[in-house]
Amino acid sequence: MILTVTLNAAIDKRYVVKEFQVGEVNRVAECTYTPGGKGLNVSKPASIAGAEVVATGFAGGHAGNYIVDSLKPFGIKSEFYHMEAESRSCINIWDEKNHVQTEFLEPGFTVSAEDFEGFCEKFKTLIPKADVVAMSGSVPKGLDGTAYQKLVSIVKEAGKKVILDTSGKLLEMGIEAKPTMVKPNIDEIRMLTGSHCDTREKLIEAGKKIHEAGIEIVVISLGADGSLLICADGVYQAIVPRIDAVNTVGCGDSMIAGFALGFERRLSVQETLRLASAISASAALREETGFFVKEDMERILPQIEIKRL
């Protein structure tokens, strides 16, 4: 089983308008609502790929109930810690004429120390059944960088693999608990290592520093050039075929789902990197975030080249 953690879950609302006008009445031509938050964008592709997935985190009010209900069609089991306050919404406005995207991200409710302690107790009961835990994204008001640090430590103490995908202080402090894997972007690597990372060689050198600090697997996205993976076996690059991307939002989350699947299935590092890259690339072919079609993934999988550097 793959356990995903979304501490700041949301309803993602996508509005399509003909031409967005600031200060005017804008009529929506099309709208879609989906359960959102980076952890849930890991849950959905992992479930599509055939894994048993349990999603946890915080959910509140009627909006929280909607998030839980919306996961059922994906076959995802929800084990959220419920709050009285309403879960947040994240609004994405797509301007058809100008091809411009505008986002409004609500802050969400505040989590107290007592709420977080209650969540941790629930979390501990879910870990024994999990093969791997993937925790992603931001945290609600009331929590700080110690939140992921504590959750990673709980998973490590249980002897399970844990992936941490976050940013800023949350990553900087969470990494101190030595998760199994992190996937920092170039800005985050610069923050963690103090290196400029302006060449591939310097990126690899910075990734090795993070690995040597106790992180088993470090993955660095190179955008259209694929990704790098640094581990005890060495350094690998995944080279992905050129595709006509439709939506790249959430492709990093889909890649995390692929790594969680690889860990769960006990695949080799190379096989895991290939699977994660194929799921990420196939997700870019679809408009819906956190979604892919298995046929796309199966077609792309053999086209991905894994090079040992």
Side-chain angles (χ1 to χ4, degrees), residues 40-246:
L40 295 183
N41 289 335
V42 174
S43 309
K44 291 180 282 184
S47 183
I48 291 167
E52 179 190 352
V53 180
V54 174
T56 190
F58 291 98
H62 296 293
N65 291 336
Y66 177 85
I67 291 169
V68 168
D69 288 342
S70 298
L71 293 174
K72 290 175 183 175
F74 290 94
I76 297 166
K77 185 182 178 187
S78 295
E79 287 286 357
F80 285 88
Y81 184 89
H82 281 273
M83 307 279 287
E84 285 188 20
E86 293 290 328
S87 287
R88 65 191 184 126
S89 289
C90 294
I91 298 168
N92 177 312
I93 300 172
W94 175 248
D95 181 331
E96 282 192 314
K97 181 180 178 181
N98 299 303
H99 293 268
V100 173
Q101 183 171 276
T102 303
E103 291 188 300
F104 294 89
L105 308 180
E106 294 181 5
F109 46 59
T110 299
V111 172
S112 68
E114 292 76 18
D115 290 325
F116 186 62
E117 197 54 46
F119 169 75
C120 288
E121 291 307 310
K122 182 180 183 72
F123 184 58
K124 288 173 185 176
T125 68
L126 300 173
I127 293 172
K129 297 175 185 176
D131 295 289
V132 57
V133 180
M135 46 187 77
S136 312
S138 62
V139 300
K141 290 182 296 182
L143 299 184
D144 59 19
T146 60
Y148 279 135
Q149 197 175 67
K150 181 170 183 178
L151 296 179
V152 169
S153 297
I154 290 171
V155 181
K156 292 290 295 288
E157 285 166 15
K160 302 298 177 79
K161 290 186 179 295
V162 53
I163 302 169
L164 177 63
D165 185 24
T166 187
S167 59
K169 275 288 180 188
L170 293 169
L171 176 62
E172 194 174 355
M173 296 183 75
I175 215 168
E176 291 175 12
K178 297 179 172 48
T180 311
M181 175 186 147
V182 295
K183 192 180 73 65
N185 60 29
I186 293 173
D187 287 340
E188 289 156 2
I189 285 205
R190 286 171 177 158
M191 175 198 73
L192 292 170
T193 65
S195 170
H196 288 298
C197 301
D198 47 7
T199 65
R200 189 180 72 171
E201 289 67 31
K202 287 182 179 177
L203 264 181
I204 292 170
E205 190 180 313
K208 283 181 176 177
K209 281 185 186 176
I210 298 170
H211 167 65
E212 288 160 5
I215 309 302
E216 191 177 320
I217 295 173
V218 180
V219 177
I220 306 165
S221 174
L222 301 176
D225 293 323
S227 57
L228 295 169
L229 185 151
I230 296 103
C231 65
D233 287 344
V235 180
Y236 297 91
Q237 182 176 356
I239 300 170
V240 180
R242 297 294 175 187
I243 59 170
D244 293 323
V246 174

Side-chain angles (χ1 to χ4, degrees), residues 282-300:
S282 59
L285 296 174
R286 301 289 157 173
E287 195 169 287
E288 185 181 338
T289 300
F291 179 81
F292 77 98
V293 174
K294 281 177 121 176
E295 288 77 9
D296 290 335
M297 186 268 287
E298 288 162 359
R299 174 174 50 81
I300 293 171

